[in-house]
Amino acid sequence: MALSKSPDIRELCYPFIFESKPTCDYEIMTDELCCQVGMVLAHLGDAWPSLREDLLHLQTLIYHLNGSVRGKNGIFDSDIDWLKYRYDCYQQAVSGRVSGFVLPQGPMPVPALHLCRCQAKKVVRMLVRLDEAGIKVPPTLPRFANLLANFFFVLTVVVKSDLNVQEVPYVSINYPAPRPS
C-alpha cells in the first residue's frame, strides 16, 4: 500500500513529502543545512561579526540552492564568485595552519561548522543522485555546494585559530603517506 497525504493539513509537514523522486530528499537535506547554519549563528553570539554576516547571507543562498532543482535556478556565478572571495579571505587569514587531515573537534561552534561541512557534502552527493535519475541539475549547484563544504572547513580553522586551539592531525593507517617531493 502506498502512503498518501492526509486530508488534514496539520498532518502534512511538507507538500512533497510523499513523492518518490529524490527531489524531496534534496530539499530536506538543504533545509537541514540551513538549520545547521542557524545553529552555528546561535553559538557565535556577538563574536566574529564578519563571519556572522557571511553566514546570514549563506542561509538565504542555501534556500536558493534548495529551490533550484524543483523551481528555477537561484544560484548564479555571482554567488559562486562571492563565496570564493569570502573563502579566499578566510583562507589567507589562516594560511599554513593546516597541511593535511585534522580531526573534527574543538569548542563550539567548531563541531557545528563541521556538521555543516558534512551536510554540504551530502547535498553534493544528492545532486549526483538527482542527475543520475535524469533530473536537470543546473551546473552552478554542484559547484556552489562543493565550495560550500570547503568554506565551512576553512571557517573551522579560522575559529580555532582565533580561539588559540590547536588542530589535531589525523594520520590514516588506510592510505599510504604522501612521499616528500
Side-chain angles (χ1 to χ4, degrees):
M1 178 177 96
L3 298 177
S4 63
K5 295 180 185 178
S6 168
D8 185 340
I9 193 73
R10 295 172 298 175
E11 297 175 6
L12 185 63
C13 66
Y14 189 59
F16 307 107
I17 201 71
F18 291 107
E19 75 178 23
S20 59
K21 294 185 299 184
T23 309
C24 183
D25 300 314
Y26 166 79
E27 291 162 343
I28 291 169
M29 284 181 177
T30 52
D31 184 33
E32 183 177 359
L33 177 57
C34 197
C35 293
Q36 289 173 337
V37 171
M39 179 175 56
V40 172
L41 285 164
H43 285 288
L44 286 181
D46 294 329
W48 300 285
S50 65
L51 185 110
R52 168 176 281 288
E53 186 178 321
D54 289 344
L55 291 176
L56 287 168
H57 183 62
L58 272 179
Q59 279 195 304
T60 299
L61 291 177
I62 291 167
Y63 273 154
H64 292 336
L65 182 69
N66 174 292
S68 290
V69 171
R70 188 183 303 276
K72 69 177 190 172
N73 183 21
I75 297 296
F76 307 101
D77 285 328
S78 59
D79 299 317
I80 294 169
D81 291 342
W82 172 81
L83 191 54
K84 283 180 179 179
Y85 172 75
R86 297 308 300 147
Y87 174 90
D88 290 344
C89 289
Y90 289 115
Q91 182 65 34
Q92 185 177 5
V94 293
S95 179
R97 185 168 164 87
V98 175
S99 61
F101 287 103
V102 295
L103 294 175
Q105 57 181 252
M108 278 299 188
V110 173
L113 285 164
H114 276 297
L115 288 174
C116 290
R117 175 183 58 81
C118 290
Q119 190 65 25
K121 289 196 284 187
K122 289 180 185 179
V123 168
V124 173
R125 290 298 300 156
M126 184 53 71
L127 288 167
V128 171
R129 296 290 176 250
L130 287 164
D131 182 64
E132 287 174 344
I135 297 168
K136 185 176 181 345
V137 174
T140 54
L141 304 189
R143 291 174 57 213
F144 182 80
N146 272 285
L147 179 57
L148 198 54
N150 293 333
F151 181 76
F152 287 125
F153 177 76
V154 80
L155 293 185
T156 68
V157 179
V158 166
V159 170
K160 288 172 84 172
S161 177
D162 288 354
L163 294 174
N164 202 26
V165 173
Q166 295 300 308
E167 298 289 351
V168 178
Y170 168 71
V171 179
S172 175
I173 62 170
N174 308 100
Y175 305 101
R179 294 177 186 240
S181 23

